[in-house]
Amino acid sequence: MNKEKSAIWYPYRQHKHPYTPLKIKSAKGVYLTLESGAQLIDAISSWWCVIHGYNHPDINAVITEQINTLPHVMLGGLTHDPAENFANKLVEITPNGLNHVFFADSGSVGCEIALKMVFQFWMNQGNTKKKKILALNRSYHGDTFGVMAVSRPDDSYPSMHRMFKGILTEHLFVPEPKMGFEADPKQLAIDIDLFHDMIKTNHKHIAAFICEPIMQGVGGFNLYSPAYLEKVVSICNEYNVLVIFDEVATGFGRTGKLFGADHAQVTPDLMVLSKALTAGYCGHSATLTTSPVFDGFLSDSFDHAFMHGPTFMGNATACRVGLKSIELFQDNQTLNKIAAIETCLKTQLAPFSHPKVKSIRVLGAMGVIEVYDANDLKGMQAYAIEHGVWIRPFDRFLYVTPPYIITKDQLQHVIDVMIAWF
Ligand SMILES: Cc1ncc(COP(=O)(O)O)c(C=O)c1O
């Protein structure tokens, strides 16, 4: 091969055309430093995970301590304090009733594990009919095979996995909720009816309903009401359909509460955490379950055990990072910081209007400008870089999900650049 070209196959990229990604030399706080020495504010927290900023001294310190003691050991047949403590901490901070934690290494795999668990849960009870998952249109749960099959952005946003139709398992989809976070009552009733009808007709075949609570991210930052979440959970409970909350993106404060579930004060049967779980230092995920789900695997038969075990599950260093990240989150009153980010986005970004802008939505530490035509965002990324901001618009969505340590002035600069583009 041509050694002058990079050997890296980059994500979501057509490599036919020349491509020179920005080279990052270092990062500190909210800033990425380029080879030239120029600095960019990372307005999207490296795909939403670097919640406390880069190169955090307290996280660095626990990593150093841990790698000098026990960087990693397999969790098959062995255990250690970092994994035990991290699991206990996750049980403590997540909605009441989630008592068991299965670790893995990424958001996609965490969701795959949830799917595998719900199918086996029903098979373990002798129910062989429940072989479908119900998901929302515009949902996104990752890029691996199981979760590709339950990810379906709507028609106006072409699904990146649609060429795999016929290869992927066919599951069930219900129209995404359209009532918004503030819950237009008429639309709320329509959305709930659609969901209810789907479950009533198909519940015998549905193992679980999976959703990103309150905010569908990659499917276009669709915000929906806690009233909808509460109602669909109760419908699922009534019809014996398990509920999986994919909190990979919404978890750890992004929507203004610690978890999306907290807006509705509901407990799903399974919850998946990743991204901010390890504050952007390394990949890890946690799939939590209630005791009834866990108990569904207890049996005298080894066949009923959950046959899964990623090599790096419960990695000791990742667990220490996760524990320290939760400590920082709590000690620094991060929910108050997120509320301040929300206020700034609501006052400085939300009132903006322009003929090209279809809508602006803000919730917690997320703000998005949706345009009518994706072409209107072409060139925006380069423009933002010129003005000291790292941002990655996709399709018709120009969004910010900043690190929670961003200052008011830094955030104002990001907002000014977004608005100035128009
Ligand atoms: C809601 C949701 N679920 C799952 C994933 C997949 O996570 P990962 O990229 O770590 O595999 C993502 C990634 O963006 C996500 O937003």
Side-chain angles (χ1 to χ4, degrees):
M1 76 169 278
N2 177 356
K3 286 283 180 197
E4 301 204 329
K5 283 193 178 163
S6 169
I8 300 176
W9 191 333
Y10 286 95
Y12 309 119
R13 188 85 226 166
Q14 172 51 264
H15 274 283
K16 178 164 185 214
H17 311 295
Y19 178 51
T20 2
L22 289 184
K23 192 173 267 182
I24 303 302
K25 287 302 263 189
S26 64
K28 177 98 188 134
V30 297
Y31 288 106
L32 303 171
T33 302
L34 307 181
E35 275 194 314
S36 62
Q39 291 197 311
L40 306 179
I41 296 174
D42 180 356
I44 54 169
S45 309
S46 259
W47 277 333
W48 323 27
C49 61
V50 186
I51 54 173
H52 305 297
Y54 293 93
N55 220 337
H56 195 290
D58 296 2
I59 301 181
N60 293 359
V62 294
I63 291 176
T64 309
E65 190 184 280
Q66 192 59 43
I67 58 177
N68 286 319
T69 317
L70 175 71
H72 173 72
V73 71
M74 61 191 280
L75 218 56
L78 303 172
T79 195
H80 48 81
D81 281 345
E84 294 279 359
N85 296 340
F86 192 31
N88 288 337
K89 182 52 92 180
L90 290 172
V91 167
E92 184 190 310
I93 64 168
T94 50
N96 241 343
L98 292 166
N99 295 328
H100 304 272
V101 182
F102 197 99
F103 290 117
D105 24 38
S106 71
S108 299
V109 175
C111 290
E112 293 280 344
I113 286 166
L115 298 184
K116 187 166 159 182
M117 279 178 175
V118 296
F119 287 127
Q120 188 176 342
F121 172 85
W122 291 113
M123 287 187 290
N124 281 356
Q125 335 272 305
N127 185 329
T128 53
K129 287 204 179 113
K130 286 184 173 280
K131 292 196 168 144
K132 296 284 173 204
I133 299 292
L134 176 63
L136 299 173
N137 279 351
R138 297 180 80 141
S139 58
Y140 176 75
H141 302 290
D143 290 347
T144 52
F145 258 77
V147 291
M148 276 156 69
V150 292
S151 299
R152 194 168 76 175
D154 80 348
D155 294 341
S156 64
Y157 171 52
S159 165
M160 40 186 180
H161 299 137
R162 68 183 159 187
M163 82 277 288
F164 292 97
K165 200 170 164 33
I167 297 174
L168 296 175
T169 310
E170 302 254 334
H171 289 294
L172 297 168
F173 290 86
V174 69
E176 74 281 10
K178 297 192 176 75
M179 86 296 287
F181 185 73
E182 307 301 343
D184 168 62
K186 216 166 127 203
Q187 187 61 44
L188 177 65
I190 296 171
D191 290 332
I192 288 173
D193 279 353
L194 284 169
F195 189 88
H196 199 186
D197 288 350
M198 169 62 86
I199 292 273
K200 220 158 77 182
T201 316
N202 299 291
H203 65 96
K204 287 204 176 103
H205 303 284
I206 301 177
F209 164 60
I210 186 170
C211 67
E212 299 150 85
I214 303 297
M215 174 173 67
Q216 298 185 285
V218 175
F221 302 92
N222 182 34
L223 301 176
Y224 63 90
S225 146
Y228 178 83
L229 193 64
E230 197 185 340
K231 188 69 192 168
V232 297
V233 169
S234 90
I235 294 172
C236 288
N237 291 343
E238 185 188 336
Y239 285 90
N240 236 1
V241 168
L242 294 173
V243 176
I244 305 168
F245 282 178
D246 172 355
E247 296 246 16
V248 169
T250 51
F252 297 99
R254 189 54 67 187
T255 66
K257 302 257 186 203
L258 187 54
F259 299 104
D262 296 344
H263 286 277
Q265 296 185 323
V266 285
T267 301
D269 300 288
L270 299 95
M271 178 190 264
V272 186
L273 303 172
S274 190
K275 286 195 188 279
L277 177 73
T278 35
Y281 270 75
C282 50
H284 222 65
S285 68
T287 302
L288 289 98
T289 78
T290 59
S291 295
V293 171
F294 180 80
D295 291 351
F297 291 74
L298 306 181
S299 152
D300 290 327
S301 161
F302 188 71
D303 285 350
H304 289 174
F306 189 54
M307 300 307 285
H308 207 94
T311 305
F312 289 106
M313 72 180 291
N315 171 272
T317 313
C319 290
R320 287 294 302 280
V321 170
L323 274 165
K324 182 49 84 179
S325 173
I326 293 171
E327 198 184 308
L328 289 171
F329 198 101
Q330 291 172 333
D331 290 356
N332 296 339
Q333 302 188 328
T334 304
L335 285 176
N336 292 344
K337 292 193 170 153
I338 294 166
I341 293 173
E342 182 180 71
T343 303
C344 185
L345 290 169
K346 280 194 166 152
T347 53
Q348 307 301 311
L349 183 72
F352 175 65
S353 69
H354 189 275
K356 290 177 179 169
V357 172
K358 185 174 174 196
S359 102
I360 299 184
R361 299 183 285 283
V362 170
L363 186 67
M366 187 291 298
V368 61
I369 299 181
E370 178 177 355
V371 296
Y372 289 101
D373 182 347
N375 288 318
D376 289 330
L377 295 179
K378 284 212 172 115
M380 196 290 159
Q381 189 174 43
Y383 174 84
I385 291 166
E386 264 173 46
H387 292 84
V389 175
W390 173 245
I391 207 161
R392 195 179 144 93
F394 66 91
D395 195 55
R396 293 180 291 103
F397 306 100
L398 172 59
Y399 75 95
V400 276
T401 47
Y404 304 148
I405 54 153
I406 196 164
T407 64
K408 206 169 170 206
D409 287 350
Q410 289 163 341
L411 185 58
Q412 188 62 54
H413 178 66
V414 171
I415 294 168
D416 289 347
V417 170
M418 290 167 82
I419 289 176
W421 163 252
F422 291 93

